[in-house]
Amino acid sequence: MSDDPTGLGPDETTPVHDAALDAVMAQWVATSPTDIDVDGALARVTARRRAGATAGVDDLATRRAATLDDTRVVPLWRRAGFRVAAALLIVVGAAAVWRGATARTGAASYVTTTGTTQMIRLADGTDVRLGPASSLELAAGFGRTHRHLTLHGEAWFKVTHNDAMPFAIRVGAATVEDVGTAFLVRESASREVSVRVTEGVVTLTSPAAQRDSVVTLRAGDGAVASVRGITVAPGAVTATEGVALAAGHLTFADASLTEVSDALRRWYGVSLIIRDSALAARRVTADFTSEPVSRVAAVLGLTLGVTAETRGDTIELHSTTGTPSRP
C-alpha cells in the first residue's frame, strides 16, 4: 500500500500534455492555406513596379524589388517558426481558458487504486484521506455556493466548520452532514454505510421503510446505515481507533464481515470467502498497518476463532475443530 500526498485541490489543474500541443499544431498546419500562388503574385507586383518606373525613381526601390524577386520571400504566416509560435499561443490560450473555467466551477474528482490512499486539501480547508479503490466527486461551485460531495468507497474527513455552508457527503443511499468534526465514512458493496466519529458531531440520514431515519452522532459514536435502518453504537470509537483512522490505517472495531470483506478488497485486492454461513454474524476488531495478506488472514482467523486460508487472491474462512491458523 502507498500514500500519495500530492492530491490537487479543486482550484488546481494539471499541465497540458505534449499530445495536446501536437494535436493542435497538426490541425493548425493542416488547415493553413496552401493554394495561394505567393511567388506568382510577387512577380506580378514587381513587374508593375518596373513598368511604371521613371528615370527619377530612386534605384534603391528597384534594388529592393530585385532582392525580393531573387530570394522568393516567404510570408510570415508560411514560416515554420511563426507557425510553431502560433500553435503554442493557441495551446496556452486554450489552457488558460480551461483553467479559468475549472477555477470558476470548483468541480473536481479524485480516484484511487487498490492499496493506495490519497491526501487531499479541499478549497474550504477540509482535509480528506481518500481510501483505496475509492472516488470523491465535488460538484461545480464547491466551496463558494455549497459544500456537497459524493463518495464511493471510504474516506477520512477532518472538516472545517462553516455554519452558513453545511458540509454534506452523499454515500450510497445515506447522507452524512458535518457539524464541525473528524470522522470516517466507509461504504460496502451491499450499500451498507459505516460512520465512525472521533471529534465533534455529525448527523446521519438514511432512507428506511420509505422514510428517512436521522440520527445524531457525537465523538466516540459509531453507526451503520442499511436498508433496515440505522444502528448506533454509542461510545464504540476509542481514542486509539481515532489515531489509527487519522493515520490512514485499516482499522475495524466491532465491524461486520460485510464491512471487512469490502475493505480488504479495496486495501489488498483480495476477496473474503465465508464457507460457513454461521460465521456471517461474527464481528471483527483489528488494526492493520501494511501487513502482508498472509498476516491479515492469520489475524482474522485468531480474532474469529476459525481457520483462515490464503489462496491466491482470496482468504477463505471456515469453522474447524482443529487449531486456528497462527500468524
Side-chain angles (χ1 to χ4, degrees):
M1 295 179 287
S2 64
D3 181 32
D4 176 9
T6 59
L8 297 176
D11 292 332
E12 299 179 67
T13 57
T14 55
V16 178
H17 194 275
D18 289 343
L21 174 59
D22 294 340
V24 172
M25 290 180 63
Q27 182 177 5
W28 202 94
V29 172
T31 57
S32 297
T34 58
D35 57 350
I36 298 176
D37 185 3
V38 177
D39 297 332
L42 182 58
R44 289 192 294 273
V45 171
T46 302
R48 284 197 296 273
R49 291 184 62 183
R50 287 175 174 172
T54 63
V57 175
D58 189 346
D59 64 349
L60 177 60
T62 303
R63 289 198 301 273
R64 287 176 177 172
T67 301
L68 290 173
D69 187 44
D70 292 340
T71 58
R72 296 188 177 184
V73 173
V74 179
L76 184 62
W77 63 267
R78 293 293 297 275
R79 298 178 188 174
F82 177 78
R83 292 161 69 119
V84 171
L88 286 171
L89 287 174
I90 292 171
V91 171
V92 172
V97 170
W98 179 77
R99 288 172 178 164
T102 301
R104 287 193 299 273
T105 63
S109 61
Y110 306 88
V111 179
T112 56
T113 57
T114 299
T116 302
T117 67
Q118 183 179 15
M119 283 300 298
I120 305 165
R121 170 63 62 89
L122 303 182
D124 66 340
T126 292
D127 289 325
V128 181
R129 182 187 290 275
L130 186 61
S134 302
S135 66
L136 189 66
E137 298 175 5
L138 283 62
F142 180 88
R144 284 176 289 279
T145 61
H146 70 86
R147 294 199 300 167
H148 299 163
L149 41 77
T150 301
L151 170 68
H152 295 288
E154 69 177 83
W156 165 263
F157 296 88
K158 176 79 172 177
V159 179
T160 298
H161 186 58
N162 184 342
D163 285 325
M165 196 179 297
F167 189 96
I169 306 162
R170 184 72 174 179
V171 51
T175 300
V176 181
E177 187 169 327
D178 152 74
V179 191
T181 187
F183 55 95
L184 173 82
V185 180
R186 181 180 284 154
E187 176 192 27
S188 73
S190 62
R191 312 293 278 183
E192 181 179 278
V193 176
S194 173
V195 179
R196 314 287 292 180
V197 183
T198 59
E199 296 178 22
V201 181
V202 302
T203 59
L204 172 61
T205 304
S206 179
Q210 298 183 346
R211 63 182 178 81
D212 282 347
S213 294
V214 182
V215 299
T216 299
L217 304 174
R218 292 176 169 77
D221 291 345
V224 175
S226 67
V227 294
R228 297 179 298 277
I230 300 175
T231 302
V232 179
V237 183
T238 65
T240 300
E241 181 185 355
V243 171
L245 291 174
H249 296 176
L250 176 57
T251 300
F252 301 112
D254 197 38
S256 68
L257 283 181
T258 297
E259 180 180 345
V260 172
S261 176
D262 283 281
L264 291 179
R265 175 178 50 80
R266 285 192 294 269
W267 285 78
Y268 288 92
V270 298
S271 299
L272 189 64
I273 299 176
I274 304 173
R275 294 300 185 188
D276 186 347
S277 60
L279 299 177
R282 300 283 184 88
R283 314 293 290 187
V284 175
T285 297
D287 182 14
F288 300 105
T289 309
S290 302
E291 283 86 350
V293 174
S294 58
R295 172 71 179 180
V296 172
V299 170
L300 287 177
L302 288 173
T303 300
L304 298 170
V306 301
T307 295
E309 297 178 339
T310 304
R311 299 178 182 274
D313 59 355
T314 65
I315 296 177
E316 296 184 9
L317 302 180
H318 53 83
S319 300
T320 178
T321 55
T323 303
S325 57
R326 298 291 180 183

